[in-house]
Amino acid sequence: APYAGAMESAVGRRISRLSGLATFVQTRPSAAELEVEFDLFAAGVRVGVSGIRALELVQNGRIISVVPREGNENVLGYDLYADARPFIPGDVRRAIETGAITISGPTTLLQGGFGMIVRQRIARSETGFPDLVAMVIDVPALVTEAAAFERPDRISFVVLDRTGQRVSGQSTPLDDPVSMPIRIPDGA
């Protein structure tokens, strides 16, 4: 339970920053001002927390801005609705339709590596404003943070995704495993 709680906290700390970014985007007086201020504000959101690979603005299913640009150049202009993984366009639509925080993954990231993509709808319909803000989170950074405090040698920390596939931890079968769900805003 302490490790599941630590993982929930690690995810929650990052998602709260995405909510702050969504509020920032929604309160800009104009799309032009958002364009000028986004990079600096988004860079500040990433300070002090590991594993935030990228912060993105999404408009009509396309990634229109990303911070940092270095290492994420290949995602600019990417059409999420055309992604070959069916859950990506589905999750984008679900985020826009429901307004709820929507999490895709863990999955292989376009930038390389393994992570989750968290999206939140922007409640502005003026021309030039994005539909969504997104945060790309490295799963290994979450696991490292959650497993950072000392544990007895006899305890192994293994993380499974929603389908039961191993995301991190030892791949050998465990003796008498105890499973704890990790509750995050988009389900366990």
Side-chain angles (χ1 to χ4, degrees):
Y3 303 102
M7 192 71 149
E8 290 170 3
S9 177
V11 172
R13 283 185 341 105
R14 287 154 181 85
I15 289 176
S16 67
R17 290 172 180 247
L18 181 67
S19 294
L21 181 63
T23 300
F24 169 79
V25 170
Q26 291 178 143
T27 58
R28 296 304 86 203
S30 68
E33 187 170 321
L34 172 61
E35 188 175 326
V36 169
E37 296 177 351
F38 176 73
D39 288 2
L40 183 60
F41 190 87
V45 167
R46 295 181 67 234
V47 171
V49 65
S50 65
I52 297 177
R53 174 74 69 90
L55 295 163
E56 303 167 346
L57 296 177
V58 178
Q59 184 178 53
N60 299 322
R62 289 198 182 274
I63 300 170
I64 60 169
S65 188
V66 62
V67 171
R69 292 225 197 304
E70 185 177 323
N72 294 298
E73 299 88 349
N74 64 323
V75 304
L76 275 173
Y78 188 81
D79 184 353
L80 297 167
Y81 290 133
D83 195 292
R85 300 166 290 182
F87 63 90
I88 296 291
D91 288 347
V92 169
R93 285 182 187 94
R94 186 166 53 97
I96 290 171
E97 290 168 5
T98 67
I101 290 174
T102 304
I103 300 175
S104 299
T107 187
T108 301
L109 300 171
L110 295 173
Q111 302 94 329
F114 194 66
M116 300 186 314
I117 305 107
V118 186
R119 296 180 184 90
Q120 188 169 351
R121 182 176 70 190
I122 299 300
R124 298 237 350 216
S125 59
E126 293 103 300
T127 302
F129 272 89
D131 306 311
L132 299 168
V133 290
M135 175 182 281
V136 180
I137 303 171
D138 283 319
V139 168
L142 294 173
V143 173
T144 298
E145 182 177 321
F149 58 96
E150 196 170 328
R151 63 184 181 270
D153 290 338
R154 68 184 192 286
I155 293 179
S156 295
F157 184 54
V158 177
V159 178
L160 307 176
D161 67 13
R162 292 175 182 164
T163 66
Q165 297 298 311
R166 185 181 62 81
V167 172
S168 92
Q170 71 184 48
S171 59
T172 58
L174 300 173
D175 295 330
D176 195 25
V178 173
S179 179
M180 294 292 301
I182 299 169
R183 292 172 191 86
I184 56 178
D186 195 16

